[in-house]
């Protein structure tokens, strides 16, 4: 089969569409004939040599795919050959085929085209697990989403809105502000023009900036607030005012999805299918697709992501 190899750490030009060995289908695996994958910020980190795949994972980038089940390993009863599915991966999605533990496989939500479904698993599992399972966002509470126009952000805004929260998002341009408002955000802060910590008070914050926003995030938390950090785009080390945290009886969480054991991912995936997929099927949460690029031209898709113009997901289609 063919897959995108990272020939050496570097810019988009190091991504090459090469002939590679077929994946091995182990006990408990589902082999997916890939229809599409999607680009995540983590793929760029991996391309640059800063985010190696966990042991046992294919070396090709790609944290999510959609496609058709081509084979199932021993002990798999949940899926059968011919099923249309999407999947959360630890890597290997930029390929014609990928083998994945059945626990990480989801049905395609009703009404979503097969290729478009490739852009759902990573955002849905990230947002559901962090905002709702860890952050315990409740109806009527306020969620602050940093990077509201990102793949993760566009999903978070819509899901929190669909579940009855007041949603505030940060974005970097007026055009993105308008698009994020159309997705349902009640308030949008342009982080280049205003300090969000001066304007927003939130029960839950989904943060992708890490160090640079830590002090502002703690200031923006309400009493009993929960800050959930999932990215370090603004650095990894910062000073934490523990006094402010204590006074607010607040919590700071940090998580990653990729390196978790299969069983933990399985719990998140099943919870997404039960709680989030019905909202997607009903049209309350829509996949936001910025562009579709042929998988063999993944370098072009990475240039697009690097330029930062996108809103939502860039798909890699076959
Ligand atoms: N821990 C986990 O399990 C996990 C899982 C998935 C994703 N993530 C993280 O979540 C983040 C989003 O991922 P993605 O794939 O959706 O990326 P993406 O689409 O490339 O989005 C990156 C976003 O960062 C925003 N941004 C840049 N500087 C900012 C600032 N100063 N303040 C607020 N926002 C700023 C950009 O907003 P503008 O374009 O408006 O400037 C853009 O929307 C990444 O950091 C990724 O590593 C973590």
């Amino acid at each position: 089969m063919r897959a995108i190899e990272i020939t050496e750490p570097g810019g988009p030009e190091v991504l090459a569409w090469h002939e590679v060995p077929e994946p091995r289908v182990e006990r408990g695996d589902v082999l997916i004939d890939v229809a599409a994958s999607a680009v995540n910020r983590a793929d760029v980190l991996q391309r640059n040599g800063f985010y190696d795949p966990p042991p046992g994972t294919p070396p090709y980038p790609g944290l999510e795919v959609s496609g058709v089940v081509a084979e199932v390993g021993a002990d798999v009863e949940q899926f059968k050959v011919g099923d249309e599915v999407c999947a959360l991966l630890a890597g290997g999605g930029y390929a014609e085929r990928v083998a994945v533990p059945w626990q990480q496989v989801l049905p395609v939500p009703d009404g979503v085209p097969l290729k478009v479904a490739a852009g759902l698993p990573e955002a849905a599992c990230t947002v559901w697990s962090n905002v709702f399972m860890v952050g315990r966002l409740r109806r009527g509470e306020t969620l602050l989403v940093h990077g509201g126009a990102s793949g993760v952000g566009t999903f978070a805004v819509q899901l929190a809105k669909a579940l009855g929260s007041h949603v505030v998002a940060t974005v970097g341009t007026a055009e993105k502000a308008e698009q994020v408002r159309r997705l349902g955000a009640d308030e949008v802060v342009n982080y280049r023009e205003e300090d969000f910590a001066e304007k927003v008070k939130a029960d839950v914050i989904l943060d992708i900036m890490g160090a640079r926003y830590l002090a502002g995030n703690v200031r923006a938390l309400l009493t009993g607030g929960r800050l959930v950090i999932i990215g370090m785009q603004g650095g990894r080390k910062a000073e934490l005012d523990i006094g402010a945290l204590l006074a607010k009886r607040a919590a700071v969480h940090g998580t990653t999805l990729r390196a978790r054991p299969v069983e933990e991912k399985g719990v998140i995936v099943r919870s997404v299918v039960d709680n989030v997929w019905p909202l997607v099927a009903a049209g309350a949460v829509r996949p936001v697709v910025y562009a579709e690029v042929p998988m063999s031209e993944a370098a072009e898709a990475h240039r697009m992501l690097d330029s930062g113009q996108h809103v939502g997901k860039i798909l890699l289609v076959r």
Side-chain angles (χ1 to χ4, degrees):
M1 69 163 188
R2 286 165 302 175
I4 290 288
E5 282 192 313
I6 300 173
T7 53
E8 58 180 325
E13 69 284 354
V14 305
L15 301 176
W17 188 233
H18 281 169
E19 200 66 37
V20 300
E22 287 284 339
R24 287 232 321 264
V25 183
E26 309 280 0
R27 176 180 293 267
D29 279 352
V30 170
L31 181 71
I32 300 174
D33 198 359
V34 174
S37 185
V39 183
N40 286 280
R41 178 93 0 216
D43 306 342
V44 173
L45 294 178
Q46 183 175 339
R47 189 197 75 206
N48 283 312
F50 300 130
Y51 197 22
D52 287 340
T57 311
Y60 330 116
L63 298 177
E64 53 191 340
V65 291
S66 62
V68 177
V69 174
E71 191 183 328
V72 294
D75 299 339
V76 175
E77 290 164 2
Q78 295 74 9
F79 298 95
K80 60 180 192 315
V81 171
D83 283 352
E84 293 198 336
V85 295
C86 51
L88 179 71
L89 309 174
Y94 294 14
E96 290 181 316
R97 278 175 288 289
V98 65
V100 52
W102 70 265
Q103 293 92 332
Q104 292 168 221
V105 180
L106 307 86
V108 173
D110 287 344
V112 176
L114 181 60
K115 287 182 179 176
V116 173
L120 288 173
E122 178 71 18
C125 292
T126 297
V127 172
W128 180 253
S129 62
N130 287 295
V131 175
F132 293 90
M133 294 170 79
V134 175
R136 301 183 325 279
L137 182 70
R138 287 181 294 262
R139 185 172 287 278
E141 286 191 328
T142 296
L143 172 69
L144 169 60
V145 181
H146 286 304
S150 68
V152 168
T154 51
F155 203 92
V157 166
Q158 296 184 83
L159 184 59
K161 204 59 212 157
L163 291 172
S165 293
H166 184 84
V167 179
V168 188
T170 57
V171 297
T173 67
E175 297 75 46
K176 288 187 180 183
E178 189 45 43
Q179 293 185 59
V180 171
R181 251 186 226 105
R182 266 190 254 124
L183 291 174
D186 298 285
E187 295 172 57
V188 182
V189 176
N190 183 334
Y191 65 78
R192 295 182 205 276
E193 294 174 353
E194 292 176 293
D195 177 4
F196 72 88
E198 296 283 330
K199 290 195 68 179
V200 186
K201 287 281 172 269
D203 298 283
V204 176
I205 301 176
L206 183 64
D207 178 64
I208 58 174
M209 295 308 293
R212 197 188 319 159
Y213 277 4
L214 182 63
N217 279 333
V218 171
R219 262 173 72 205
L221 280 178
L222 286 161
T223 300
R226 291 84 74 195
L227 165 61
V228 189
I229 304 174
I230 62 164
M232 299 182 288
Q233 291 178 202
R236 58 186 295 169
K237 289 188 180 173
E239 203 170 87
L240 175 63
D241 182 346
I242 297 170
L245 209 61
L246 265 57
K248 292 184 177 185
R249 304 189 295 284
V252 181
H253 301 267
T255 74
T256 64
L257 194 53
R258 188 184 197 184
R260 291 205 205 189
V262 170
E263 290 66 31
E264 277 186 37
K265 287 183 183 166
V267 170
I268 293 169
V269 160
R270 300 276 79 78
S271 190
V272 164
V273 171
D274 290 345
N275 295 288
V276 181
W277 264 205
L279 294 167
V280 177
V285 178
R286 290 181 297 106
V288 179
V289 176
Y290 177 73
E292 293 188 10
V293 177
M295 189 176 282
S296 57
E297 294 166 28
E300 190 48 42
H302 273 224
R303 277 185 203 101
M304 241 179 225
L305 195 88
D306 283 351
S307 81
Q309 307 287 307
H310 66 290
V311 172
K313 304 289 291 201
I314 299 168
L315 301 183
L316 295 172
V317 298
R318 285 201 41 220

